Amino acid sequence: MVTYADNKISPACLLVLLLFVVPSYAMFSTMVTEDEIHTICTKEDINSSFCFEVLKANPKIARLDFSGLAKFLLNYQAQNISDTLKQFKLSGGYTPDIDSYIFCDTQYRLCKELYENALDNRESALKYLAAKDYDGLNTMVSGTLTDMFTCTDDLSTMKPVPQFFMTKSNVIKDLSNIILVIVECFLRKEKILCPSRDL
Ligand SMILES: *[C@@H]1O[C@H](CO)[C@@H](O)[C@H](O)[C@H]1NC(C)=O
Ligand SMILES: *[C@@H]1O[C@H](CO)[C@@H](O)[C@H](O)[C@H]1NC(C)=O
Protein backbone atom coordinates (compact mmCIF):
# COMPACT_ATOMS: atom_id res chain seq x y z
CA MET A 1 0.00 0.00 0.00
CA VAL A 2 1.29 3.44 -0.90
CA THR A 3 1.20 5.70 2.07
CA TYR A 4 1.09 9.45 2.13
CA ALA A 5 4.63 9.55 3.55
CA ASP A 6 6.01 7.55 0.61
CA ASN A 7 4.78 10.12 -1.83
CA LYS A 8 6.42 13.01 -0.11
CA ILE A 9 9.67 14.29 -1.64
CA SER A 10 12.22 14.50 1.12
CA PRO A 11 14.03 17.85 1.53
CA ALA A 12 17.32 16.21 0.57
CA CYS A 13 15.80 14.89 -2.60
CA LEU A 14 14.32 18.30 -3.38
CA LEU A 15 17.74 19.84 -2.91
CA VAL A 16 19.26 17.40 -5.42
CA LEU A 17 16.46 18.24 -7.81
CA LEU A 18 17.05 21.98 -7.46
CA LEU A 19 20.82 21.75 -7.66
CA PHE A 20 21.18 19.44 -10.63
CA VAL A 21 18.02 18.71 -12.52
CA VAL A 22 16.64 22.24 -12.78
CA PRO A 23 19.84 23.99 -13.92
CA SER A 24 20.66 21.30 -16.47
CA TYR A 25 17.12 21.42 -17.77
CA ALA A 26 17.36 25.20 -18.08
CA MET A 27 20.67 24.84 -19.89
CA PHE A 28 19.42 22.24 -22.36
CA SER A 29 16.20 24.07 -23.02
CA THR A 30 17.99 27.16 -24.33
CA MET A 31 20.52 25.41 -26.55
CA VAL A 32 20.21 25.87 -30.27
CA THR A 33 18.51 22.79 -31.74
CA GLU A 34 18.96 21.14 -35.13
CA ASP A 35 15.52 22.42 -36.12
CA GLU A 36 16.49 25.96 -35.23
CA ILE A 37 19.70 25.69 -37.24
CA HIS A 38 17.57 24.52 -40.14
CA THR A 39 15.29 27.55 -39.66
CA ILE A 40 18.26 29.94 -39.62
CA CYS A 41 19.92 28.40 -42.67
CA THR A 42 16.79 28.37 -44.83
CA LYS A 43 15.81 32.01 -44.21
CA GLU A 44 15.71 34.52 -47.02
CA ASP A 45 19.10 36.08 -47.83
CA ILE A 46 20.95 33.19 -46.23
CA ASN A 47 23.49 31.21 -48.23
CA SER A 48 22.09 27.86 -47.06
CA SER A 49 24.92 25.56 -48.09
CA PHE A 50 27.47 27.83 -46.45
CA CYS A 51 25.30 28.26 -43.34
CA PHE A 52 24.88 24.50 -42.84
CA GLU A 53 28.58 24.01 -43.49
CA VAL A 54 29.59 26.46 -40.75
CA LEU A 55 26.92 25.54 -38.20
CA LYS A 56 27.11 21.77 -38.61
CA ALA A 57 30.86 21.49 -38.88
CA ASN A 58 31.45 23.00 -35.47
CA PRO A 59 30.64 20.57 -32.63
CA LYS A 60 30.96 23.47 -30.15
CA ILE A 61 27.74 24.92 -31.50
CA ALA A 62 25.66 22.07 -30.07
CA ARG A 63 26.40 23.42 -26.59
CA LEU A 64 25.57 27.05 -27.27
CA ASP A 65 22.45 29.13 -26.75
CA PHE A 66 21.57 31.86 -29.28
CA SER A 67 23.62 34.49 -27.55
CA GLY A 68 26.60 32.12 -27.44
CA LEU A 69 26.10 31.30 -31.09
CA ALA A 70 26.05 34.99 -32.04
CA LYS A 71 29.27 35.48 -30.07
CA PHE A 72 30.88 32.45 -31.72
CA LEU A 73 29.98 33.77 -35.19
CA LEU A 74 31.17 37.32 -34.43
CA ASN A 75 34.56 35.93 -33.42
CA TYR A 76 34.63 33.51 -36.36
CA GLN A 77 33.85 36.39 -38.73
CA ALA A 78 36.47 38.63 -37.10
CA GLN A 79 39.03 35.89 -37.72
CA ASN A 80 38.10 35.87 -41.43
CA ILE A 81 38.25 39.67 -41.58
CA SER A 82 41.63 39.80 -39.90
CA ASP A 83 43.09 37.00 -42.08
CA THR A 84 41.91 38.70 -45.26
CA LEU A 85 43.14 42.09 -44.07
CA LYS A 86 46.58 40.56 -43.62
CA GLN A 87 46.43 39.31 -47.21
CA PHE A 88 45.39 42.77 -48.39
CA LYS A 89 48.38 44.29 -46.66
CA LEU A 90 50.73 41.65 -48.06
CA SER A 91 49.45 42.14 -51.59
CA GLY A 92 49.91 45.91 -51.23
CA GLY A 93 47.47 46.49 -54.04
CA TYR A 94 49.89 44.97 -56.49
CA THR A 95 48.67 43.26 -59.60
CA PRO A 96 51.03 42.04 -62.32
CA ASP A 97 49.39 44.38 -64.82
CA ILE A 98 51.43 47.60 -64.54
CA ASP A 99 48.81 49.72 -66.30
CA SER A 100 46.23 48.93 -63.70
CA TYR A 101 48.58 49.31 -60.75
CA ILE A 102 47.46 52.77 -59.60
CA PHE A 103 43.85 51.94 -60.30
CA CYS A 104 44.10 48.74 -58.26
CA ASP A 105 45.93 50.45 -55.46
CA THR A 106 42.95 52.76 -54.92
CA GLN A 107 40.53 49.85 -54.64
CA TYR A 108 42.80 47.89 -52.37
CA ARG A 109 43.31 50.89 -50.10
CA LEU A 110 39.58 51.46 -49.85
CA CYS A 111 38.97 47.79 -49.09
CA LYS A 112 41.75 47.77 -46.53
CA GLU A 113 40.07 50.67 -44.72
CA LEU A 114 36.67 49.00 -44.92
CA TYR A 115 38.16 45.80 -43.52
CA GLU A 116 39.81 47.71 -40.69
CA ASN A 117 36.47 49.32 -39.90
CA ALA A 118 34.72 45.94 -40.00
CA LEU A 119 37.30 44.46 -37.64
CA ASP A 120 36.78 47.38 -35.24
CA ASN A 121 33.05 46.58 -35.20
CA ARG A 122 33.62 43.30 -33.40
CA GLU A 123 34.37 44.77 -30.00
CA SER A 124 31.32 47.04 -29.98
CA ALA A 125 29.17 44.21 -31.35
CA LEU A 126 30.22 41.92 -28.48
CA LYS A 127 29.49 44.68 -25.95
CA TYR A 128 26.03 45.29 -27.41
CA LEU A 129 25.36 41.55 -27.40
CA ALA A 130 26.33 41.26 -23.73
CA ALA A 131 24.12 44.25 -22.91
CA LYS A 132 21.23 42.76 -24.95
CA ASP A 133 21.23 45.98 -26.99
CA TYR A 134 20.02 44.44 -30.24
CA ASP A 135 19.65 47.77 -32.06
CA GLY A 136 23.31 48.47 -31.42
CA LEU A 137 24.27 44.93 -32.36
CA ASN A 138 22.25 45.10 -35.59
CA THR A 139 23.95 48.41 -36.46
CA MET A 140 27.43 46.90 -36.05
CA VAL A 141 26.66 43.69 -37.98
CA SER A 142 24.88 45.63 -40.76
CA GLY A 143 27.84 48.03 -40.85
CA THR A 144 30.18 45.12 -41.58
CA LEU A 145 27.78 43.89 -44.25
CA THR A 146 27.73 47.34 -45.89
CA ASP A 147 31.53 47.56 -45.71
CA MET A 148 31.79 44.25 -47.58
CA PHE A 149 29.28 45.36 -50.23
CA THR A 150 31.21 48.59 -50.79
CA CYS A 151 34.45 46.64 -51.09
CA THR A 152 33.13 44.03 -53.53
CA ASP A 153 31.41 46.72 -55.63
CA ASP A 154 34.77 48.39 -55.95
CA LEU A 155 36.80 45.24 -56.54
CA SER A 156 34.37 44.15 -59.25
CA THR A 157 35.38 47.21 -61.33
CA MET A 158 38.94 45.87 -61.49
CA LYS A 159 40.27 43.94 -64.44
CA PRO A 160 40.83 41.16 -63.78
CA VAL A 161 38.51 40.93 -60.77
CA PRO A 162 40.58 39.75 -57.79
CA GLN A 163 38.59 36.59 -57.17
CA PHE A 164 40.37 35.67 -53.93
CA PHE A 165 39.30 38.88 -52.20
CA MET A 166 35.82 38.75 -53.72
CA THR A 167 35.29 35.25 -52.29
CA LYS A 168 36.61 36.20 -48.85
CA SER A 169 34.42 39.31 -48.76
CA ASN A 170 31.37 37.27 -49.78
CA VAL A 171 32.00 34.79 -46.95
CA ILE A 172 32.08 37.71 -44.49
CA LYS A 173 28.79 39.01 -45.95
CA ASP A 174 27.21 35.55 -45.59
CA LEU A 175 28.29 35.43 -41.95
CA SER A 176 26.77 38.89 -41.30
CA ASN A 177 23.46 37.70 -42.71
CA ILE A 178 23.46 34.63 -40.46
CA ILE A 179 24.19 36.77 -37.38
CA LEU A 180 21.40 39.20 -38.33
CA VAL A 181 18.88 36.33 -38.54
CA ILE A 182 19.95 35.10 -35.09
CA VAL A 183 19.56 38.61 -33.67
CA GLU A 184 16.24 39.44 -35.33
CA CYS A 185 14.51 36.04 -35.28
CA PHE A 186 15.77 34.57 -32.01
CA LEU A 187 17.43 37.05 -29.66
CA ARG A 188 15.05 39.98 -30.07
CA LYS A 189 11.57 39.58 -28.61
CA GLU A 190 9.71 41.59 -31.25
CA LYS A 191 10.37 39.78 -34.53
CA ILE A 192 9.69 42.82 -36.73
CA LEU A 193 12.93 42.58 -38.68
CA CYS A 194 12.98 38.80 -38.91
CA PRO A 195 12.85 37.87 -42.61
CA SER A 196 9.54 36.27 -43.66
CA ARG A 197 8.97 32.50 -43.85
CA ASP A 198 7.49 31.48 -40.57
CA LEU A 199 9.54 30.16 -37.69
C1 LIG B 1 27.46 30.19 -50.85
O1 LIG B 1 28.68 29.94 -50.20
C2 LIG B 1 29.56 29.08 -50.90
C3 LIG B 1 30.74 28.80 -49.99
O2 LIG B 1 31.34 29.99 -49.54
C4 LIG B 1 29.95 29.72 -52.22
O3 LIG B 1 30.78 28.87 -52.95
C5 LIG B 1 28.70 30.04 -53.03
O4 LIG B 1 29.04 30.77 -54.19
C6 LIG B 1 27.73 30.87 -52.19
N1 LIG B 1 26.47 31.01 -52.90
C7 LIG B 1 25.91 32.21 -53.13
C8 LIG B 1 24.61 32.18 -53.81
O5 LIG B 1 26.44 33.25 -52.77
C1 LIG C 1 36.95 31.79 -41.49
O1 LIG C 1 37.46 31.62 -40.19
C2 LIG C 1 37.27 30.33 -39.67
C3 LIG C 1 37.68 30.35 -38.20
O2 LIG C 1 38.99 30.77 -38.03
C4 LIG C 1 38.06 29.33 -40.52
O3 LIG C 1 37.89 28.03 -40.02
C5 LIG C 1 37.54 29.42 -41.94
O4 LIG C 1 38.29 28.56 -42.79
C6 LIG C 1 37.64 30.84 -42.46
N1 LIG C 1 37.00 30.92 -43.76
C7 LIG C 1 37.57 31.54 -44.77
C8 LIG C 1 36.79 31.52 -46.06
O5 LIG C 1 38.63 32.10 -44.70
Side-chain angles (χ1 to χ4, degrees), residues 36-48 51-52 177-178 180-182 184-186 191 193-199:
E36 285 161 339
I37 286 181
H38 189 269
T39 303
I40 295 168
C41 291
T42 52
K43 282 276 176 197
E44 241 176 276
D45 294 335
I46 296 295
N47 179 337
S48 294
C51 180
F52 282 120
N177 281 323
I178 298 172
L180 285 174
V181 164
I182 293 168
E184 296 306 335
C185 303
F186 293 97
K191 320 276 183 225
L193 297 174
C194 176
S196 56
R197 286 194 216 170
D198 292 329
L199 283 180

Side-chain angles (χ1 to χ4, degrees), residues 50 75-77 79-80 83-84 167-168 171 175:
F50 172 76
N75 286 321
Y76 186 98
Q77 185 189 44
Q79 187 60 53
N80 292 156
D83 288 347
T84 312
T167 306
K168 294 289 182 183
V171 165
L175 286 166

